[in-house]
Amino acid sequence: MKRTLITNIKSLVQVEDTAREAVCGKDMAELKTIENAYLLIEDDKIADFGTMDTLCENADMTIDAKQRFVLPSFCDSHTHLVYAGSREIEYIDKIRGLSYEEIAKRGGGILNSAKRLQEASEDELFEDAMQRLEEIISYGTGAVEIKSGYGLTTEAELKMLRVIRRLKEASPLTIKANFLGAHGVPLEYRGRQGDFVNLVIEEMIPQVAKENLAEFIDVFCDTGFFTVEETARMLEAGTKHGLVPKIHANELDYSGGIEVGVKYGALSVDHLECVGEKEIATLKTSKTMPTILPGAAFFLNMPYSPARKMIEAGLPVAMASDFNPGSSPSGNMQMVLTFACVNYRLTPQEAINATTINSAYAMGISHTHGSIAKGKKANFYITKDIPTIEYIPYYYGTNKVERTFLNGKQV
Ligand code: NIG
Ligand code: FE
């Protein structure tokens, strides 16, 4: 067994004596810390922690944190980071006034990425995605969910999911795969969307399950994309094949996405720009994690999800990057913290809970990730020389992570 000891930690943040599934409502404002702390790692797990004056452990390797902060790695529970090419042209269209839906209608958006992905080789997709993974690791991410959904044919969807499987093997990040066959309707299915839904149900889902390529199933349930009825059919089929729903909902409209997600036991419903009393009441009856994607709302200049209302209603809130080439070309979770504070009025403590323990829940890993607790994966980072943890979202745009540890090893 290899024992690594981190000493002289200015403040060990997000410590849990008893590990929790998620943090709800006003508890989100609390973040337990230990000042002047040590952290002991055995192999890939957290073994112990405490104040320096109680330290009586020895180890194979000791790292002096030199009075820097230690935080659990971010869990980014919603990304589309396997993609081909980039879409800055549409970004210009947006600046000139076209909406996300208008761009999509013209064959841009998701269809544009699908065309490029279908042409790209598995190796190219893998190499590009590996680079993105390295980038997010350097910004403090330790676990990431990655969706398919730029394939839109059975063959290309399977290609994407196989790339994700390779990433799982090659990267030190904890990775979960989400099958998002119903991300957009291919042009050849325009006017007969039901046939595409049948293809997802009859061909794609069974194949994905047979090859064990995904843990989750997603649907873009919204006005202009997939209806509540279509979503229900696909989630039903996915669930039968052992895929857990985690869906795109209520981004563009009060479209019933939250209700259908909750009905099918979704682990999370994501985006949530359009949330009122009714949606909050539905969420309150469920174990579904409301997940906000601040980068997408920022980049598309959309109205912001009512995060404060949800927290005040006693709900938990998670936040993730939505890293993708169209609506959120960044996987930087430190920026998500800043957006959380500035645009959603979360305190830095709430924002850290939203991007660690609650987002871990939203990807089904809060028993092993998302906090500093004994027995959990040793995924954490040591900050640069910063004065407070509030400084992380405050001094935005630069990297406050100095060293990252994943599975107990520095990466
Ligand atoms: O989460 N809303 C749907 N899907 C993605 C956008 C994907 C794209 O534009 O390429 C999202 O924002
Ligand atoms: Fe998304």
Side-chain angles (χ1 to χ4, degrees):
M1 189 201 308
K2 183 159 191 248
R3 286 158 62 92
T4 308
L5 188 60
I6 317 279
T7 58
N8 297 318
I9 300 167
K10 182 179 173 105
S11 178
L12 182 62
V13 181
Q14 181 75 317
V15 176
E16 286 183 325
D17 296 323
T18 334
R20 299 161 296 178
E21 267 198 316
V23 188
C24 302
K26 58 178 170 14
D27 291 345
M28 282 187 70
E30 277 156 40
L31 205 54
K32 193 172 170 210
T33 59
I34 300 178
E35 312 314 303
N36 200 20
Y38 73 89
L39 177 64
L40 179 70
I41 298 142
E42 285 176 0
D43 292 332
D44 63 337
K45 303 241 164 45
I46 295 168
D48 202 5
F49 48 78
T51 50
M52 279 304 285
D53 56 359
T54 61
L55 173 62
C56 52
E57 308 278 1
N58 48 32
D60 305 307
M61 184 163 73
T62 300
I63 294 165
D64 185 349
K66 297 193 180 131
Q67 292 304 310
R68 312 285 169 93
F69 295 84
V70 168
L71 285 91
S73 300
F74 296 112
C75 296
D76 192 351
S77 64
H78 181 136
T79 81
H80 309 247
L81 66 70
V82 172
Y83 60 83
S86 55
R87 306 212 316 251
E88 59 275 33
I89 299 300
E90 292 171 13
Y91 171 65
I92 307 302
D93 288 342
K94 250 171 260 153
I95 293 169
R96 295 207 170 108
L98 284 188
S99 75
Y100 185 70
E101 280 160 297
E102 281 163 340
I103 291 170
K105 278 213 184 88
R106 297 195 321 180
I110 293 162
L111 296 184
N112 184 358
S113 282
K115 189 166 172 291
R116 292 172 189 228
L117 186 126
Q118 287 162 11
E119 286 158 5
S121 74
E122 212 176 291
D123 285 344
E124 279 164 351
L125 292 170
F126 173 78
E127 296 302 334
D128 288 355
M130 269 308 271
Q131 266 187 27
R132 291 177 200 125
L133 292 184
E134 271 155 36
E135 187 179 297
I136 64 172
I137 289 171
S138 74
Y139 284 110
T141 295
V144 64
E145 180 253 32
I146 311 175
K147 297 170 197 297
S148 68
Y150 291 129
L152 301 185
T153 64
T154 305
E155 191 195 337
E157 280 296 299
L158 294 174
K159 175 167 75 175
M160 271 190 95
L161 290 167
R162 289 187 192 121
V163 169
I164 300 172
R165 181 164 63 194
R166 275 176 70 185
L167 296 171
K168 285 186 184 182
E169 285 158 12
S171 168
L173 285 161
T174 301
I175 299 176
K176 296 281 173 190
N178 192 345
F179 166 64
L180 174 55
H183 196 193
V185 181
L187 284 177
E188 59 275 26
Y189 282 91
R190 285 270 161 96
R192 49 184 195 101
Q193 183 158 327
D195 291 347
F196 184 68
V197 173
N198 291 341
L199 180 78
V200 170
I201 292 173
E202 287 157 20
E203 194 176 287
M204 294 190 194
I205 292 175
Q207 194 65 33
V208 169
K210 190 169 145 224
E211 290 188 40
N212 206 2
L213 285 170
E215 285 87 7
F216 305 126
I217 179 163
D218 199 337
V219 172
F220 188 3
C221 177
D222 227 318
T223 303
F225 290 84
F226 294 91
T227 66
V228 167
E229 292 70 31
E230 290 165 340
T231 304
R233 284 185 59 212
M234 290 185 274
L235 296 188
E236 177 121 31
T239 310
K240 279 201 186 120
H241 281 87
L243 301 171
V244 176
K246 227 177 105 55
I247 68 168
H248 284 72
N250 296 50
E251 175 184 7
L252 308 169
D253 208 345
Y254 292 82
S255 49
I258 291 177
E259 285 84 349
V260 70
V262 165
K263 183 167 170 210
Y264 285 90
L267 191 52
S268 74
V269 285
D270 301 19
H271 274 289
L272 311 187
E273 277 71 15
C274 301
V275 168
E277 298 302 328
K278 191 163 118 292
E279 287 75 14
I280 289 180
T282 304
L283 285 164
K284 284 281 283 181
T285 65
S286 77
K287 293 205 78 184
T288 300
M289 178 61 71
T291 301
I292 298 173
L293 309 171
F298 161 77
F299 197 76
L300 298 180
N301 217 353
M302 306 256 287
Y304 295 120
S305 175
R308 280 250 65 88
K309 269 203 182 135
M310 290 195 263
I311 293 172
E312 272 147 32
L315 286 169
V317 165
M319 291 195 172
S321 75
D322 199 17
F323 193 0
N324 76 73
S327 64
S328 186
S330 166
N332 181 345
M333 290 293 280
Q334 295 175 50
M335 280 303 292
V336 171
L337 288 183
T338 299
F339 294 143
C341 297
V342 174
N343 296 332
Y344 298 82
R345 304 260 160 227
L346 265 59
T347 63
Q349 287 73 14
E350 288 171 324
I352 291 170
N353 275 313
T355 51
T356 56
I357 187 73
N358 284 358
S359 51
Y361 179 93
M363 54 188 292
I365 57 169
S366 65
H367 55 297
T368 49
H369 292 68
S371 68
I372 304 290
K374 285 182 199 170
K376 279 198 176 184
K377 264 246 181 283
N379 281 11
F380 60 90
Y381 59 87
I382 305 179
T383 64
K384 294 195 170 142
D385 188 13
I386 57 175
T388 58
I389 56 161
E390 287 81 357
Y391 191 88
I392 302 174
Y394 156 80
Y395 195 75
Y396 74 97
T398 62
N399 194 358
K400 272 75 65 184
V401 170
E402 185 152 283
R403 297 189 195 192
T404 294
F405 290 76
L406 296 179
N407 312 309
K409 287 196 201 94
Q410 189 171 337
V411 288

